[in-house]
Amino acid sequence: MRLLVVEDDPDLNRQLVLALEDAGYVIDKAFDGEEGLFLGETEPYDAVVLDLGLPEIDGVTVLERWRRSGKVFPVLILTARDRWSEKVAGFDAGADDYLTKPFHTEELLARLRALVRRAAGHVTSTIEIGDLSVDTKGARAFINGSPLKLTSHEFRILSYLSHHVDRVISRSELTEHIYDQDFDRDSNTIEVFIGRLRKKIGTNRIATVRGLGYRLCDPASLDT
Ligand code: CA
């Protein structure tokens, strides 16, 4: 899952990026409204953390412009304390959730997990695909209750596929959602990761749809 953090306070920006990376997300960061607006308009994010008080272009305007150009990614806004009118403006501009500064990192992580999975149509933090369960909170996966040993890249791929279960995901879409913008992207490496993942979770769980991409599915449901 790839997130964008737009926050002008360099310390808070760094803290957020570290905490989110620790939680297994890949992160792009921006330090002002203009940079944030541009990234949000050009890169596909699974969620965005947007401070409202930003230099260059304020957060509410950034959000309005994203929404006007059809961007539907979930947005969590960060607001200063006692600025209730800012929150209202943020929600009216298209925010999905908010946190008031200062906040606990754990709460931010929980809210983001909820936003990402709801955007993908899931209501709980564990996604079940037959006997495969993907724990998006603990960044772990299980088959029949037995934990799988996955690398962080393998988990990212499995997590993205499981959020979009039964949908065909192209290699370029996967690449865009599991690497940040600075990563030297090579879509061939996706194939390698998919190969390793298949060895660990069972070949028949990830179908290759020729020319289109990959689809995570429940092999038991295919037999019937
Ligand atoms: Ca600020």
Side-chain angles (χ1 to χ4, degrees), residues 18 25 27 39-40 47 49-50 67 76 85 92 95 104 106 111 127 136 142-143 162 168 181 184 190 198 204 206 215:
L18 287 176
Y25 297 104
I27 310 295
L39 284 172
V49 178
L50 176 68
R67 294 312 192 211
L76 184 148
S85 58
D92 284 341
H104 290 283
E106 283 306 315
R111 287 177 182 275
I127 300 170
T136 61
F142 304 84
I143 288 180
S162 65
V168 178
Q181 64 173 152
D184 179 21
I190 291 283
R198 277 184 173 137
N204 52 355
I206 302 176
R215 185 175 58 216

Side-chain angles (χ1 to χ4, degrees), residues 56-195:
E56 308 302 335
I57 307 174
D58 70 273
V60 170
T61 305
V62 169
L63 184 48
E64 276 171 355
R65 287 172 59 179
W66 282 338
R67 294 312 192 211
R68 231 182 293 142
S69 61
K71 298 295 170 192
V72 295
F73 43 61
V75 174
L76 184 148
I77 52 173
L78 302 178
T79 65
R81 205 156 23 152
D82 301 330
R83 301 282 282 278
W84 67 267
S85 58
E86 218 179 55
K87 277 175 222 159
V88 173
F91 277 109
D92 284 341
D96 299 276
D97 200 359
Y98 78 94
L99 270 177
T100 302
K101 294 179 187 176
F103 50 82
H104 290 283
T105 307
E106 283 306 315
E107 186 176 358
L108 175 78
L109 293 175
R111 287 177 182 275
L112 282 172
R113 280 194 300 272
L115 286 179
V116 168
R117 69 174 187 247
R118 260 190 260 130
H122 299 282
V123 289
T124 59
S125 65
T126 298
I127 300 170
E128 314 268 359
I129 305 109
D131 55 5
L132 169 68
S133 54
V134 179
D135 169 9
T136 61
K137 179 166 179 252
R140 294 170 305 176
F142 304 84
I143 288 180
N144 276 324
S146 312
L148 295 164
K149 283 204 177 84
L150 302 177
T151 64
S152 61
H153 269 94
E154 289 161 2
F155 183 80
R156 279 181 202 161
I157 290 179
L158 183 61
S159 175
Y160 192 78
L161 290 175
S162 65
H163 275 81
H164 303 281
V165 66
D166 288 332
R167 217 187 91 201
V168 178
I169 307 292
S170 70
R171 248 191 282 173
S172 64
E173 180 176 346
L174 258 185
T175 306
E176 282 176 331
H177 288 266
I178 69 158
Y179 298 127
D180 59 41
Q181 64 173 152
D182 299 327
F183 196 88
D184 179 21
R185 294 177 196 168
D186 173 359
S187 61
N188 290 326
T189 58
I190 291 283
E191 243 175 323
V192 175
F193 286 129
I194 290 277

